[in-house]
Structure formats: C-alpha cells, structure tokens
Amino acid sequence: MAAKIPATVVTGFLGAGKTTLIRHMLANAGGKRIALIINEFGDLGVDGDILKGCGDETCTEDDIMELSNGCICCTVAEDFVPTMQKLLERDNKPDHIVIETSGLALPQPLVRAFNWPEISTKVTVDGVITVVDGKAVDEGRFAHNVAAVDAQRKLDENLDHETPLSELFEDQIACADMIVVNKADLLGEDHADALVAKLKGEARGGVQVVRASMGVLPIDVLLGQGIGSEGDMDARSEVHHHHHDDEDDDHLHHDHDEFESFVVTRGEIKDPKAFARQIAEVIRAHDILRLKGFVAVEGKPMRLTVQAVGPRVDHYFDQPFGTAPRDTRLVVIGEAGLDRLSIETALSA
C-alpha cells in the first residue's frame, strides 16, 4: 500500500501569523510540492489571495483550495472531507498538505476527521502547529485568565461565564504538537522565556514550543514531525465542551455569534504609511481583533497587502493589479457589536 500523504494543520487565533508562516514555508519548500486548504472567516478570501501571490512553483494556484462556507470544524462532513477527497484523487498528488484553519476553528474535530474511512487510508496528520501571537499572549489579551476580557463578558448576562476567546485558545494549545510563539522579537528575553515556560506547562508533555519572528522557521522544523495526531485524540480533549455524546457526529457545533466580520471598500489611497497609522487608530478606537485586505495606492501598479492585529499593522506590495479593479478592500473582524458605520467612515476618510 502506498505511503499516506502527510498533512499539517496550522491553527491559531486571529492575527497570530498563520498566513505569514505558511508564505515563508512555501518560499522555502525546497522542491516539495505542497497543497493548501484554507478556511477563511469573512466575506473576502484574503488569505487565499495572499498565498496565491507567493508565485512559488512548488505550490501553484491549482494547489490552493479555499473553504469559505463556514468554520472548518463545523463543516467537516459537508465541506472538508469532500475537498480532501478531490485533492487525493488527483493524478499529480502533493508531497504534503497544509491546512490553515480560521481563528475560530476548534482543531480537534478537524483532526478527528482524518479517521473518516474516505480519507483515513490515504492521508495522516503529520502534526498540529498552533501559532500564537507572543506579544498579545504576553499582554494577556488571548489568555484564559484575562481579567479585563472576563469582566467585560460578565457584564452581559446572555453570554457564557467563560469567554470564547479563552476556550478557543485553550483548545488550540491542548491539540498542538508544536506551539510557535510568533512575533517573539517584540518580547524581551525574560518575557519570552517566561511565556515559553508557561505554554510548555499548559501543553501536553513532549510538545515543542519554539520562537519565531515573522513566521520564519526552517521547513524541516515545521514539516516531517510524523506524529499521526488523529490516532491520539484522547490526549487532545477539548476544553470547549459540546452538548452531545454521539461520537460518530463530527459536525460539532460551537457558537460563532460572538464574532462578526464585514468588508470595507474604498478608492485609492495616497500614502501607505499614513494609511497604516489610520488603520491602527481605527483598530484602537473600536477594539478590532483583526483587519486585513488589499489597498490600491495612487501611481503604484502593485497591490498593497495589509494585515493588522491590535495596533500592529504590516503592509507590503505583493503583485500587480493586472485586470482587477483598482480599489481598496478590507476585511474587519471583531467581537459582536462593532460599530460598522463608524468604522467604515473612519477607514474611508
């Protein structure tokens, strides 16, 4: 029987740096043919377009598949498994499959899906990589014991006692075979050491915790772990509890009503640096979790890609607009209750 194709699941909270890590992985694949399955949360497939712009022969546009019908862990049977089957039926099969989940996806149902008969004999989970925003976690923004976030949620009697942010973060740590502390360059050495030690203490025994800046890690570190994660689900039990006992039902539900996303469209801008500052101010004013998209700059043939989390805004020119409309499209993602009109007005000013 032919060897199973290894698949790596890359999970992590919104803005942790999953796409950046995967871009670097593709650029340094060393001839390895990598297929991507991307689960975009929002109305605009920004991550897919960013990765399609990598221009690497080891991952052509045909090797990138997007799941845009909802959170990957809620559409296992309807969306993910058929996509995997389609990929595995190709004559020119990939050497490795990389799956990028949305920031809202629970990793456990996805990993469990690799035991489905339709795909279990053909593919295995090489490892689960959880990417965390080192600076944000160090500041307590996405940790489960964030007093400020808990206090905010407790003010609303209709919301769960424990925040979805903390539950998602704990599940991603519980399922990880490797934890990447991204943006480690923004931490001092003492803070970085303390965070690595803390995450090692929260993770299962033997889970590697590595530091990275801009998602830069050797591909040999990221791929080839050979874990077979789908065969070890008992050790990866969800912190985020589900209210049924049917072990055969992988279409597990969790509430996404706490989050919302929308697209802001505007015309060309003049100054990328000034626009980045404008974006940072809007994020601070409205407590936006993540903002990303493409920007048209006056007089520039190249498209400006923008990715922001918290007050940090990264931007770079990635590829020509070509025949695409020269407009600016930004996806805004945050907890429910965003003032959409005010945000649209501020970003269009």
Side-chain angles (χ1 to χ4, degrees):
M1 186 170 59
K4 294 182 181 181
I5 297 173
T8 295
V9 176
V10 181
T11 189
F13 212 84
L14 296 169
K18 301 185 297 294
T19 301
T20 304
L21 180 141
I22 292 172
R23 274 183 65 98
H24 178 77
M25 183 192 300
L26 296 179
N28 296 274
K32 187 187 294 288
R33 185 179 177 86
I34 298 176
L36 296 176
I37 296 177
I38 304 166
N39 183 205
E40 173 67 16
F41 176 74
D43 301 320
L44 182 66
V46 170
D47 285 348
D49 277 353
I50 289 173
L51 290 165
K52 287 172 186 175
C54 69
D56 195 290
E57 69 278 3
T58 61
C59 181
T60 67
E61 191 164 324
D62 290 339
D63 292 323
I64 299 177
M65 298 182 173
E66 278 191 271
L67 304 180
S68 55
N69 296 327
C71 173
I72 195 171
C73 71
C74 290
T75 59
V76 166
E78 302 92 337
D79 207 6
F80 172 68
V81 171
T83 298
M84 285 291 292
Q85 287 179 286
K86 182 179 177 182
L87 185 60
L88 294 170
E89 288 168 359
R90 290 182 177 180
D91 292 332
N92 189 11
K93 293 180 174 57
D95 299 315
H96 204 106
I97 300 169
V98 174
I99 302 161
E100 179 189 1
T101 73
S102 80
L104 299 181
L106 300 169
Q108 284 85 349
L110 173 61
V111 175
R112 196 176 292 118
F114 282 80
N115 289 309
W116 280 47
E118 294 90 335
I119 61 176
S120 64
T121 60
K122 300 176 182 176
V123 65
T124 182
V125 181
D126 183 63
V128 178
I129 298 174
T130 296
V131 185
V132 304
D133 181 331
K135 182 68 172 174
V137 176
D138 180 59
E139 293 170 350
R141 181 165 176 81
F142 298 133
H144 74 280
N145 60 352
V146 183
V149 177
D150 268 348
Q152 183 182 15
R153 294 199 57 77
K154 289 173 186 175
L155 290 175
D156 191 334
E157 295 179 356
N158 295 318
L159 299 178
D160 293 337
H161 178 74
E162 188 174 32
T163 73
L165 300 182
S166 68
E167 293 171 353
L168 288 166
F169 186 78
E170 289 183 5
D171 277 341
Q172 290 163 0
I173 297 300
C175 198
D177 295 302
M178 173 183 289
I179 299 171
V180 175
V181 179
N182 200 26
K183 308 177 187 178
D185 54 312
L186 303 179
L187 300 172
E189 194 66 26
D190 290 345
H191 279 255
D193 289 344
L195 180 56
V196 168
K198 177 177 181 291
L199 291 172
K200 283 184 177 178
E202 294 174 353
R204 290 173 290 113
V207 172
Q208 294 177 308
V209 181
V210 299
R211 309 179 197 191
S213 173
M214 293 297 290
V216 176
L217 284 171
I219 192 168
D220 291 340
V221 171
L222 298 170
L223 306 185
Q225 297 185 56
I227 302 292
S229 308
E230 72 276 16
D232 183 31
M233 293 309 302
D234 289 344
R236 304 164 189 267
S237 58
E238 291 97 330
V239 176
H240 188 111
H241 298 291
H242 305 283
H243 303 291
H244 62 77
D245 299 314
D246 186 355
E247 295 181 357
D248 294 325
D249 182 5
D250 279 279
H251 189 177
L252 302 177
H253 298 278
H254 59 285
D255 194 353
H256 289 175
D257 293 342
E258 297 89 354
F259 301 89
E260 64 176 296
S261 71
F262 56 88
V263 177
V264 176
T265 302
R266 59 163 291 170
E268 296 184 344
I269 67 163
K270 294 183 179 180
D271 184 345
K273 291 184 179 179
F275 190 56
R277 291 193 293 271
Q278 180 179 343
I279 288 173
E281 291 171 3
V282 174
I283 288 173
R284 277 192 293 267
H286 295 277
D287 199 25
I288 294 168
L289 289 177
R290 178 87 185 273
L291 187 150
K292 56 185 178 178
F294 309 116
V295 179
V297 181
E298 289 183 9
K300 299 290 185 181
M302 300 289 284
R303 184 180 71 178
L304 185 73
T305 293
V306 173
Q307 299 191 76
V309 57
R312 296 184 295 279
V313 182
D314 296 324
H315 55 90
Y316 54 88
F317 290 101
D318 70 337
Q319 67 183 47
F321 271 98
T323 58
R326 287 185 58 84
D327 56 14
T328 295
R329 296 174 297 148
L330 302 170
V331 177
V332 177
I333 302 173
E335 292 186 269
L338 292 175
D339 188 340
R340 179 169 180 168
L341 180 59
S342 294
I343 292 170
E344 289 177 340
T345 301
L347 289 173
S348 300

